[in-house]
Amino acid sequence: MQDDLQSRLVQSALILFEENGFKNTTVNSIVIHSGSSKGGFYHHFKSKDELLYRIHESFINHVNRLVDELEDKDLTPADKLDYVLTHFIFVYDRYKAHITVFNDENKYLADEYKSEIVASRRKFKSAVEAIIIEGQQDGSFTDDINPTVITM
């Protein structure tokens, strides 16, 4: 769980990234906006890039927990897909600012974080695609559309 300062820094960054963009937002402006100090910032994040990565990590980890929860449930493919999509809508509601900022600003993210992000996103995409394939194989879903296309 995030501590109060870390949460304030993230919230300030979300606001400033949305208003000014990642490139035009400085660590100093995040610190001032959050009422923190540079020491407080660097206690939680080694760089502005790590902060952007963590913004992504917060919502993608939540999404991937959804697919992990399915492993413990004995559901039909249709029920699995319903579960994922229903909960995914709530993720978008809860993390709207995170998702918006990340999608707008990820092009500036340092290369060191990109492979982790691709892997996290691939996990969710692969889980949804597996549900589609399972449903196509058991006849629950039509099989005239490629599962990868449906997943996208």
Side-chain angles (χ1 to χ4, degrees), residues 3-92:
D3 71 23
D4 185 51
L5 175 57
Q6 185 178 10
S7 181
R8 282 194 344 256
L9 289 164
V10 167
Q11 291 307 312
S12 290
L14 287 169
I15 291 165
L16 295 172
F17 291 166
E18 213 165 18
E19 287 176 2
N20 307 314
F22 180 79
K23 273 183 100 166
N24 296 323
T25 300
T26 64
V27 169
N28 198 46
S29 63
I30 295 168
V31 165
I32 291 168
H33 189 276
S34 66
S36 178
S37 66
K38 282 194 176 179
F41 180 91
Y42 288 110
H43 174 73
H44 291 286
F45 308 102
K46 69 180 181 182
S47 65
K48 192 171 71 164
D49 287 293
E50 182 187 6
L51 173 55
L52 183 59
Y53 168 74
R54 295 266 196 90
I55 285 170
H56 173 269
E57 187 181 54
S58 62
F59 70 84
I60 202 68
N61 285 349
H62 188 93
V63 166
N64 281 329
R65 278 192 300 275
L66 291 176
V67 297
D68 291 342
E69 289 172 9
L70 286 176
E71 293 176 13
D72 300 329
K73 299 182 183 301
D74 184 27
L75 299 172
T76 66
D79 288 337
K80 288 178 185 177
L81 189 59
D82 179 64
Y83 180 85
V84 169
L85 294 176
T86 300
H87 286 82
F88 194 67
I89 291 167
F90 291 115
V91 169
Y92 259 88

